[in-house]
């Protein structure tokens, strides 16, 4: 059973699915102990090479590898990586980043990329949701700094939802709760998956670290499919999750967490597949920092004639429900 494959324009390997919705916004549906292996070459120097054997002097080779010390060192590096993610979420007042979300469950798959920018205090927030599997099914969510409103710009695929290009509603994206923000929410949920997997300590879990040419660090570990599903990193409809065999949920999916040379967070990516008796789950989900935001990330505030105002929560809930139904 083959799922639809998607080649994102960013050049990532083709992995399909995602959810078009920004999650964590009310009324909007779908956005330490473990075995560690560090491979090190150890060299025992022959005595003859040192010219000491004939003298009868005892010469010791290099000390034997200490697996426990290696495990602890890698464990500390992973701790530092998770802490760097948390610091990015809590302290980033001016940033730009990209969330990518692709998944296939059996033959059902889609994908999306989300560009998010935040700048200033009070903050202006711009989120652009691009479907990579349904052309034209894009929309933006814009919160002007200090505004009581959020504005949603509808792409061609959603044009029938309103008679105007923009829809307005009571602001939520101005919340000070960082993990509720689009993009940052994905980081929070991926942190949860790492923590849950480390606590569960499933067989085969390991971590490796690698120094990059630019001085950065790659940390390679894994999460369980169960941790990914429990954290709703990608909200998946119940009729789709029922296709996932229970024996699949304990299996591991590779994760790569990258830090800059100064220890700050750069990127995280979950990328791999889980095979079951009757199907397959394939995921590529992550977040990549894109530096500071700039003023041209934000459009002018729409004029009243360009906007359809949603008067209350019921209207907002109905709007997001209809948007989700159009995508299916």
């Amino acid at each position: 059973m083959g799922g639809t494959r998607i080649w994102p324009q960013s050049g990532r390997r083709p992995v399909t699915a995602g959810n078009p919705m920004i999650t964590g916004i009310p009324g909007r549906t779908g956005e330490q102990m473990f075995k560690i292996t560090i491979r090190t070459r150890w060299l025992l120097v022959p005595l003859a090479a040192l010219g000491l054997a004939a003298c009868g002097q005892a010469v010791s080779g290099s000390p034997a590898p200490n697996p426990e010390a290696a495990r602890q060192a890698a464990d500390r590096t992973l701790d530092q990586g998770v802490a760097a993610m948390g610091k990015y979420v809590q302290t980033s007042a001016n940033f730009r980043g990209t969330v990518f979300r692709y998944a296939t469950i059996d033959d059902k798959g889609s994908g999306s990329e989300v560009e998010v920018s935040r700048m200033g205090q009070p903050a202006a927030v711009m989120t652009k949701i691009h479907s990579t599997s349904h052309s034209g099914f894009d929309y933006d969510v814009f919160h002007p700094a200090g505004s009581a409103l959020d504005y949603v710009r509808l792409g061609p695929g959603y044009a029938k939802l309103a008679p105007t290009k923009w829809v307005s509603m009571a602001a939520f994206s101005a919340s000070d709760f960082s993990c509720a923000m689009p993009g940052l929410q994905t980081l929070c949920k991926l942190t949860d998956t790492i923590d849950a997997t480390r606590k569960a300590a499933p067989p085969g879990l390991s971590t490796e670290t690698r120094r990059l040419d630019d001085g950065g660090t790659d940390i390679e570990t894994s999460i369980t499919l169960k941790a990914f599903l429990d954290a709703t990193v990608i909200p998946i409809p119940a009729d789709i999750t029922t296709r996932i065999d229970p024996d699949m949920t304990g299996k591991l999916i590779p994760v790569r967490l990258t830090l800059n040379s100064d220890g700050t967070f750069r990127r995280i990516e979950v990328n791999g597949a889980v095979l079951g008796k009757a199907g397959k789950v394939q995921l590529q989900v992550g977040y990549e920092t894109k530096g500071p935001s700039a003023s041209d990330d934000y459009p002018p505030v729409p004029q009243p004639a360009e906007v359809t105002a949603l008067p209350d929560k019921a209207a907002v809930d109905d709007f997001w429900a209809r948007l989700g139904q159009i995508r299916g």
Side-chain angles (χ1 to χ4, degrees):
M1 57 186 73
T4 303
R5 288 186 177 268
I6 297 170
W7 288 89
Q9 294 181 355
S10 59
R12 301 185 181 92
R13 289 191 293 273
V15 184
T16 55
N19 186 292
M21 301 302 300
I22 296 234
T23 60
I25 302 179
R28 306 180 190 184
T29 62
E31 237 235 341
Q32 227 175 53
M33 293 175 58
F34 55 95
K35 178 181 178 183
I36 293 180
T37 303
I38 293 185
R39 298 181 177 87
T40 307
R41 295 185 180 271
W42 294 85
L43 177 64
L44 294 178
V45 182
L47 297 180
L50 296 176
L52 299 175
C55 298
Q57 298 181 13
V59 178
S60 300
S62 300
N66 185 331
E68 178 60 19
R71 183 196 69 79
Q72 292 179 5
D75 199 24
R76 287 192 297 270
T77 303
L78 181 56
D79 286 341
Q80 292 165 4
V82 173
M85 290 173 63
K87 184 175 181 180
Y88 181 86
V89 169
Q90 296 299 326
T91 65
S92 294
N94 180 7
F95 69 90
R96 182 192 291 123
T98 298
V99 179
F100 46 95
R101 304 182 296 197
Y102 310 99
T104 297
I105 298 177
D106 294 342
D107 59 343
K108 299 293 184 181
S110 63
S112 66
E113 293 192 359
V114 181
E115 298 177 21
V116 58
S117 300
R118 183 183 190 274
M119 184 172 66
Q121 188 61 41
V125 180
M126 184 67 180
T127 307
K128 299 180 178 181
I129 299 89
H130 310 283
S131 172
T132 59
S133 53
H134 300 77
S135 178
F137 286 84
D138 307 327
Y139 64 95
D140 302 341
V141 181
F142 174 41
H143 175 76
S147 176
L149 296 174
D150 285 343
Y151 297 89
V152 180
R153 185 199 63 80
L154 301 173
Y158 299 115
K160 64 182 181 181
L161 289 174
T164 56
K165 184 177 181 179
W166 291 87
V167 171
S168 67
M169 60 193 69
F172 177 83
S173 55
S175 171
D176 290 331
F177 182 48
S178 298
C179 281
M181 290 185 60
L184 296 187
Q185 185 184 77
T186 298
L187 282 183
C188 294
K189 292 188 173 187
L190 289 175
T191 299
D192 290 344
T193 67
I194 294 174
D195 290 343
T197 301
R198 297 176 81 180
K199 183 177 181 179
L205 182 64
S206 64
T207 291
E208 296 183 4
T209 63
R210 180 170 62 95
R211 182 59 58 88
L212 303 176
D213 291 342
D214 63 2
T217 301
D218 266 350
I219 307 167
E220 297 182 359
T221 186
S222 301
I223 59 171
T224 61
L225 178 57
K226 181 181 187 302
F228 185 91
L229 296 172
D230 288 349
T232 60
V233 180
I234 296 177
I236 302 173
D239 62 328
I240 302 297
T241 56
T242 55
R243 302 183 180 200
I244 300 175
D245 295 332
D247 67 302
M248 300 169 68
T249 59
K251 294 184 177 180
L252 295 170
I253 306 171
V255 177
R256 176 174 293 180
L257 170 58
T258 304
L259 304 179
N260 295 310
S261 59
D262 62 357
T264 56
F265 170 70
R266 181 189 300 178
R267 191 177 192 272
I268 187 171
E269 179 178 22
V270 177
N271 194 338
V274 172
L275 301 177
K277 296 177 181 178
K280 175 181 178 181
V281 175
Q282 191 166 358
L283 300 170
Q284 184 182 16
V285 179
Y287 181 95
E288 183 171 5
T289 61
K290 298 291 187 179
S293 182
S295 58
D296 57 3
D297 290 336
Y298 309 91
V301 176
Q303 297 299 308
E306 303 176 284
V307 180
T308 297
L310 302 181
D312 51 35
K313 183 178 183 301
V316 172
D317 291 346
D318 177 69
F319 168 81
W320 290 114
R322 288 187 293 123
L323 186 146
Q325 290 168 359
I326 291 176
R327 270 291 308 272

